Every structure is written in C-alpha cells, then in structure tokens.
Amino acid sequence: MQALALDRAAPGPVRLLSLCAGQGRDVLPGLARHPRGADVRGRLVEFDPGLAGAARAAAPVAVEVVVADAGHTAACAGAVPADLLLLCGIFGNVADEDVARTVAAVPSLLATGGTAIWTRHRRAPDATPGIRAWFAAAGVAETGVRRRAGRGLVGRGGRAAGGLHAAGRAGAALLLRR
C-alpha cells in the first residue's frame, strides 16, 4: 500500500510518520525497494526500546527512529504534517475511545493531499466499519481497502487498484487521502 502512496505523492521530498512502528517492517523494506524511497524523510515512533533499536538499525539515515509513546502529540513534533502516515497494527490493540481520538487527530498529522494507511483485524466484533466512519467524519477520504492478505487493494467502487506491497497480515488495510 505504501508503494501506491509513494507513487501518488507529489515530486520532491516525502515526509513520513509511522506510529507504533515496531521494528519498521511495515515501512522500511518498501522504502528500500521503491524508486522514490530516497525521497522519504521521516520518523518512526515506537515505545519499546528493543523494537526501536531494530528499526533504527534497518532505517536509512533520512528516517529517524524515536522511543516515545505515540499516544502523545509530542512524539510527532517536527514530523508533521506528514505526506504519508502509517497507523499499522494500532487499532486492534487499544480501546475504541483511543482509536476514535487517534482518528480525530489524523487531519492535524496529515498534510493536505497526504495519505494515511491503517490496518486492523476483522475478527468479531469487526470494528472496521465504525473506524471507517470515524475517518469519514474527520474529513479523511477513503481511496481503497485491502480486505484480506494477498488479495490486493480494492479501490472506490470495487475496482482493483494495483501496484501495492501488502502491509502485514491485517484483515483490512485502508488507504486514505486528506
């Protein structure tokens, strides 16, 4: 999904912010493979020092990795507005109220024309419809959804959208534009 986001980004530097980034597996391998990877400058935020250390070891010089709580806006200072915002693996691990607050904050984190990518499992109870509604209410338009790992992205209107690299094993991964 990040490949499509980088393909859609305006020419020049691309500002990246990945929250709860873990070892950076949702973003770093894709940056290394993508022709625009060298254009990316950004920050990965991870609370666990061990995971952050692994991400730091794999990250290019232009991508900083910080040990911080992604739930605090201070972790994003200087890294926003982002052209590419990753919220992968967060929404299945925090309370619905925290998900709602995070989604409401996305417009302040995302540059106009920027892309947000989020993932969440679809096991019962499937919270993805509610999360999608929160994004819509926040003014962030959905441009595609990847419903299951290995199935590709379905664009608006149900049409396939190609050129993607999967983001983990999530049940749903959504691509959004501000």
Side-chain angles (χ1 to χ4, degrees):
M1 295 189 88
Q2 74 179 358
L4 182 59
L6 288 173
D7 291 344
R8 292 178 174 178
V14 176
R15 186 179 281 198
L16 163 79
L17 177 60
S18 178
L19 301 179
C20 299
Q23 296 176 339
R25 292 181 185 172
D26 288 320
V27 66
L28 297 176
L31 290 181
R33 289 188 303 264
H34 197 279
R36 301 252 351 248
D39 293 340
V40 176
R41 309 286 179 266
R43 179 178 301 161
L44 278 61
V45 179
E46 174 52 47
F47 187 73
D48 181 280
L51 295 175
R56 192 174 294 112
V61 174
V63 176
E64 70 174 327
V65 179
V66 298
V67 176
D69 185 342
H72 297 281
T73 56
C76 303
V80 293
D83 301 303
L84 177 56
L85 173 64
L86 274 72
L87 304 167
C88 299
I90 300 171
F91 296 161
N93 296 302
V94 297
D96 288 348
E97 298 80 22
D98 293 328
V99 175
R101 279 192 291 274
T102 301
V103 169
V106 165
S108 68
L109 302 174
L110 192 60
T112 299
T115 300
I117 298 172
W118 66 274
T119 62
R120 188 185 192 288
H121 66 79
R122 300 200 60 191
R123 294 185 298 271
D126 183 1
T128 60
I131 297 169
R132 292 166 80 179
W134 290 335
F135 272 107
V140 183
E142 185 175 301
T143 61
V145 59
R146 185 173 161 271
R147 299 194 194 285
R148 289 186 298 171
R151 297 290 179 157
L153 182 82
V154 178
R156 295 197 66 163
R159 294 179 300 278
L164 306 182
H165 292 285
R169 296 186 193 136
L174 285 93
L175 187 67
L176 306 149
R177 298 278 282 195
R178 176 166 181 249

